[in-house]
Amino acid sequence: MISKKDIRSLNEQEFKDILILNSFKPFRANQIFHWLWKKSVYSFYEMTNLPDRLIEFLDKNFIINNIKIHKTQKSTDGTIKYAIELHDGFIVECVLIPTKNRITACVSSQVGCSLNCKFCATARLKRMRNLKADEIYDQVVLISKQAREFFNKPLTNIVFMGMGEPLMNYKNVVKSIDKISSKSGLGMSPKRIVVSTSGVPKMIRKIADDNVKFKLAVSLHSAVNEVRTSIMPFNEKMNLDELSESLQYWYTKTKNIITFEYVVWKGVNDKIEDIKALVKFCKKVPSKVNLIQYNSIDDPNFVQAPKSILDNYIQLLESNKIKATIRKSRGQDIDAACGQLANKS
Ligand code: SAH
């Protein structure tokens, strides 16, 4: 048996060529892509404006991979976590986060993760595979539909802060963002999309060169090399100097300020030297700091520092004219918060 081709792995031009080769009219490609991306249909038989002969040709030669909700969990704060089953049985998680003025979708970019951040639950899973662009796109579509259904509100923001390291699956991430932001897809502004990275300098330079329009967040957690390496071991190879230089390059090219995500743990990065190092690091490139709450993954080495330490951070950052906020965590009771996505289901 010949295996059918995943139709959404093709771009419109490639698909047009196939149509022509099989004596179908090339304009059909546009109609079909409209069904696939704009209307998100999962069966060729729903494409009601196509001739039967073409529908049969499509059904015989192509598949439309789709994602399914495997499990739903609702938090007391309104956050909803979805375990999503992919066509090959792997499960990833995505999260719908409702706040007063926003509906945010937090999406995954890989099954598991290849990095080994000590404080992150996803790191305990190995990286199984990258997600395809349509699998990322479909998470956004799914959350957008759920937002309408449960909150009667449109999706306003997208964050790549689910499972995986987006810049290690750059091609598919960018392709999904193109579809999310293009008129032939969801038509959302790329300014409402944040890609969060653990900080891969080579890739940060690449996205700067590619003139991307999304916003960038970097999971910093320490501006001291030894400390960062101890909690994010890949830092040994791509150290803070390299990271900083790549971020300066990003800023020169894009003029977009960077958000540093930062958790403060007792005995890890709660000393005055840690705060001073962060201030120094932030001064090298226009940036702001989000102090995020630690979400426990049951490791005694990591305990959230008290509010007084966070206040020290805020004070020293602000007195150096660096914007800093303390971000509340959402969906903790269902393990849907940052760093807690690990397929417990
Ligand atoms: N790999 C990407 C995106 C996924 S993680 C990245 O590292 O940015 C999204 C954010 O959650 C990152 O800032 C990450 O450092 C943070 N995070 C991971 N584990 C966490 C935990 N247990 N508590 C709070 N934040 C955590």
Side-chain angles (χ1 to χ4, degrees):
M1 205 183 80
I2 35 160
S3 64
K4 297 184 185 183
K5 193 157 179 62
D6 169 13
I7 189 164
R8 285 188 297 170
S9 69
L10 300 169
N11 66 35
E12 202 167 321
Q13 190 53 52
E14 289 164 340
F15 186 63
K16 238 179 220 171
D17 295 342
I18 295 176
L19 287 180
I20 295 168
L21 211 65
N22 288 278
S23 342
F24 291 105
K25 295 261 170 16
F27 80 91
R28 297 286 182 194
N30 189 266
Q31 289 180 314
I32 294 166
F33 270 55
H34 188 79
W35 285 111
L36 289 173
W37 293 101
K38 190 91 195 171
K39 300 226 154 122
S40 287
V41 304
Y42 286 139
S43 160
F44 297 113
Y45 291 93
E46 287 176 50
M47 302 182 174
T48 48
N49 56 356
L50 305 183
D52 289 348
R53 199 171 66 84
L54 177 53
I55 293 180
E56 277 153 30
F57 168 79
L58 293 173
D59 198 46
K60 205 171 127 204
N61 294 288
F62 296 96
I63 45 161
I64 311 170
N65 284 334
N66 61 1
I67 62 170
K68 291 190 199 85
I69 298 180
H70 173 72
K71 190 176 165 189
T72 305
Q73 282 172 281
K74 290 188 187 156
S75 160
T76 48
D77 67 17
T79 300
I80 309 178
K81 178 168 86 168
Y82 301 92
I84 297 295
E85 186 177 342
L86 307 173
H87 69 91
D88 55 2
F90 278 122
I91 307 258
V92 292
E93 295 172 328
C94 57
V95 188
L96 189 173
I97 308 159
T99 52
K100 206 164 136 231
N101 303 316
R102 288 179 177 196
I103 298 271
T104 303
C106 172
V107 298
S108 292
S109 56
Q110 296 180 315
V111 184
C113 189
S114 59
L115 300 176
N116 46 4
C117 304
K118 300 284 188 217
F119 47 81
C120 180
T122 308
R124 292 175 178 173
L125 310 164
K126 288 198 305 273
R127 188 197 75 97
M128 320 291 186
R129 71 169 173 86
N130 286 340
L131 293 194
K132 293 276 172 54
D134 60 86
E135 293 172 323
I136 300 170
Y137 181 83
D138 285 357
Q139 294 174 60
V140 178
V141 171
L142 184 143
I143 292 198
S144 163
K145 284 184 185 158
Q146 297 280 313
R148 291 253 180 227
E149 186 174 323
F150 287 110
F151 302 99
N152 197 23
K153 282 185 185 167
L155 184 65
T156 58
N157 296 74
I158 300 165
V159 294
F160 281 74
M161 294 187 187
M163 299 168 125
E165 168 48 50
L167 296 192
M168 301 277 211
N169 182 18
Y170 177 64
K171 243 175 63 191
N172 289 308
V173 165
V174 164
K175 205 170 148 195
S176 73
I177 292 176
D178 281 346
K179 280 291 173 195
I180 292 165
S181 52
S182 85
K183 285 221 175 69
S184 64
L186 294 176
M188 288 181 69
S189 164
K191 292 197 183 90
R192 294 179 169 276
I193 302 174
V194 178
V195 171
S196 175
T197 175
S198 55
V200 187
K202 200 175 89 195
M203 294 312 296
I204 291 170
R205 284 175 185 273
K206 171 145 181 59
I207 58 175
D209 284 336
D210 287 354
N211 196 22
V212 296
K213 298 281 183 281
F214 53 75
K215 291 190 183 156
L216 188 64
V218 175
S219 304
L220 191 62
H221 304 308
S222 173
V224 180
N225 265 319
E226 303 79 70
V227 177
R228 193 164 194 262
T229 300
S230 74
I231 55 176
M232 304 169 84
F234 62 85
N235 185 69
E236 184 156 22
K237 284 196 202 116
M238 331 172 206
N239 65 38
L240 286 163
D241 290 336
E242 258 184 81
L243 178 59
S244 174
E245 280 160 25
S246 72
L247 294 174
Q248 287 160 39
Y249 186 74
W250 157 271
Y251 184 77
T252 324
K253 287 259 175 170
T254 66
K255 295 287 172 284
N256 268 327
I257 80 157
I258 294 137
T259 302
F260 292 124
E261 292 156 281
Y262 200 103
V263 178
V264 190
W265 293 281
K266 265 190 201 162
V268 175
N269 53 357
D270 57 356
K271 292 178 293 302
I272 183 72
E273 298 84 70
D274 294 300
I275 312 180
K276 284 183 181 160
L278 177 62
V279 168
K280 200 170 152 205
F281 194 84
C282 289
K283 280 189 172 171
K284 291 185 193 156
V285 55
S287 53
K288 61 178 187 196
V289 176
N290 256 342
L291 293 178
I292 58 182
Q293 188 186 324
Y294 172 57
N295 303 306
S296 173
I297 60 160
D298 300 326
D299 178 335
N301 293 318
F302 293 102
V303 178
Q304 168 75 51
K307 174 88 171 34
S308 57
I309 304 278
L310 300 190
D311 290 342
N312 293 346
Y313 262 96
I314 299 274
Q315 233 171 27
L316 201 61
L317 286 164
E318 284 183 344
S319 65
N320 281 279
K321 303 208 163 44
I322 300 155
K323 268 203 192 140
T325 47
I326 299 180
R327 200 173 71 193
K328 264 205 311 216
S329 202
R330 314 261 313 174
Q332 255 189 327
D333 55 335
I334 54 165
D335 285 340
C338 288
Q340 291 187 311
L341 302 183
N343 288 341
K344 276 199 189 157
S345 58

